[in-house]
Amino acid sequence: MRILAVADEESKYLYDYYRPGKLDGFDLIIAAGDLSVEYLEFLVTMADCPLVYIHGNHDENQKRVPTGCICADDKLVEVNGLRILGFGGSYKYRDGKYMYTEKQMENRIRKKWFSIKKHGGFDILVTHAPARHLNDLETVPHRGFECFNDLLDKYKPRLFVHGHVHLSYNHRIPQECMRGETTVVNAYDYCVIELD
């Protein structure tokens, strides 16, 4: 399965410099937050495959939901035979619709236990913020959530896609790494993933 993962910044390569066929061959698009409704609608229209998204910390002013896209925020959705679990938002550094303390994020996860059990786990975890000490930073706005590590360790999904931490914050943050058996992708700008 060929997956396009996007987050945070609208890719000039995919959007401004789009040419017909550039988005062909994808089976799924995963959007990990902080992207405009118009950009998501463009991608889902041109790629001709499902697009699953969650909210970023800067999405609080969006006036409408993107047409043709599947919201997985606080949900476990099944798309193309994959079980996708999503949690949007970032670590709380100010008042905002998509800002959470560690305890609040733990409670969001706890509310999904029955859905996770019913589906026999999940294949892909999609979040906006990274996991703590896994592509995050020490500053509060870009701190990851420890409870995401617990999810990864307990359920061992095939893929963990997040955004929020850009290369401009730290050029040493890898776009792809591993945590145990899980491939971890920081989807800033865009990344192409081949999933067996």
Side-chain angles (χ1 to χ4, degrees), residues 7-196:
D8 300 296
E9 298 174 358
E10 296 173 356
S11 169
K12 290 185 184 300
Y13 173 75
L14 298 176
Y15 198 33
D16 295 351
Y17 306 121
Y18 176 78
R19 288 189 319 269
K22 190 175 276 191
L23 290 168
D24 289 353
F26 290 105
D27 301 298
L28 176 66
I29 300 172
I30 296 173
D34 283 352
L35 295 167
S36 72
V37 168
E38 294 77 17
Y39 183 63
L40 297 180
E41 289 175 339
F42 173 83
L43 292 177
V44 77
T45 300
M46 296 303 169
D48 193 34
C49 68
L51 186 153
V52 174
Y53 73 98
I54 49 95
H55 296 104
N57 57 303
H58 296 298
D59 289 343
E60 61 192 358
N61 295 321
Q62 289 183 348
K63 305 275 191 267
R64 61 184 181 86
V65 298
T67 302
C69 302
I70 302 162
C71 182
D73 215 334
D74 283 324
K75 296 177 190 157
L76 198 159
V77 298
E78 289 192 54
V79 180
N80 286 355
L82 294 171
R83 300 160 299 171
I84 304 169
L85 179 64
F87 295 102
S90 72
Y91 206 89
K92 187 171 187 164
Y93 60 92
R94 64 172 171 79
D95 288 334
K97 185 174 181 180
Y98 300 113
M99 306 272 183
Y100 304 93
T101 64
E102 181 75 33
K103 189 71 173 167
Q104 289 170 327
M105 190 61 78
E106 286 173 9
N107 288 335
R108 291 173 72 195
I109 291 169
R110 192 173 296 115
K111 290 177 183 175
K112 295 289 127 210
W113 77 267
F114 182 75
S115 184
I116 294 169
K117 182 177 179 179
K118 179 179 147 188
H119 287 89
F122 52 93
D123 303 297
I124 301 174
L125 175 63
V126 182
T127 66
H128 181 60
R132 185 71 176 128
H133 302 298
L134 185 63
N135 299 337
D136 72 340
L137 303 175
E138 291 304 313
T139 57
V140 174
H142 296 99
R143 181 178 296 162
F145 290 98
E146 187 61 48
C147 52
F148 293 163
N149 287 315
D150 297 338
L151 269 176
L152 295 172
D153 293 344
K154 183 172 182 178
Y155 294 101
K156 298 175 177 36
R158 296 164 65 188
L159 183 62
F160 172 36
V161 177
H162 71 83
H164 192 53
V165 182
H166 311 217
L167 272 183
S168 58
Y169 301 140
N170 182 342
H171 69 279
R172 293 189 181 105
I173 294 172
Q175 190 161 34
E176 189 173 316
C177 63
M178 297 293 292
R179 179 179 172 95
E181 301 167 20
T182 303
T183 301
V184 179
V185 173
N186 184 349
Y188 60 82
D189 192 22
Y190 80 97
C191 184
V192 177
I193 305 160
E194 301 288 346
L195 194 65
D196 296 331

